[in-house]
Amino acid sequence: MRRSRTTNTLVIVSDYTKGLYHDKWIGGILHYTGMGKSGDQDIHWAQNATLAESDYNGVDVHLFEVIDAGEYAEE
């Protein structure tokens, strides 16, 4: 996840080719792991908080998925 304060956007890349996180779609909803490489994810930390508050903080969220290495699809 990366945020741009200049454009007021948050870009999420769900990359299934790297195996670091295990994001998955359930019933049309993406269950996204968030930021942080060790321990429990913290919804109040860094861009996890930005995403959690995106319904009312004015930040536009863009999701890209990588199914095959190097190929990005915008959802």
Side-chain angles (χ1 to χ4, degrees), residues 17-47:
T17 67
K18 296 200 175 172
L20 178 62
Y21 300 112
H22 301 285
D23 306 331
K24 59 185 170 184
W25 287 94
I26 300 173
I29 297 171
L30 177 64
H31 293 255
Y32 183 73
T33 305
M35 292 180 75
K37 292 184 180 180
S38 62
D40 292 337
Q41 302 295 316
D42 184 347
I43 200 162
H44 303 290
W45 180 73
Q47 301 322 319

Side-chain angles (χ1 to χ4, degrees), residues 12-75:
I12 298 172
V13 177
S14 184
D15 190 338
Y16 303 100
T17 67
K18 296 200 175 172
L20 178 62
Y21 300 112
H22 301 285
D23 306 331
K24 59 185 170 184
W25 287 94
I26 300 173
I29 297 171
L30 177 64
H31 293 255
Y32 183 73
T33 305
M35 292 180 75
K37 292 184 180 180
S38 62
D40 292 337
Q41 302 295 316
D42 184 347
I43 200 162
H44 303 290
W45 180 73
Q47 301 322 319
N48 294 339
T50 303
L51 179 59
E53 298 167 359
S54 64
D55 282 344
Y56 52 88
N57 64 10
V59 173
D60 291 324
V61 178
H62 300 273
L63 169 64
F64 294 87
E65 289 186 283
V66 179
I67 306 296
D68 297 313
E71 295 182 23
Y72 292 73
E74 185 173 11
E75 296 299 322

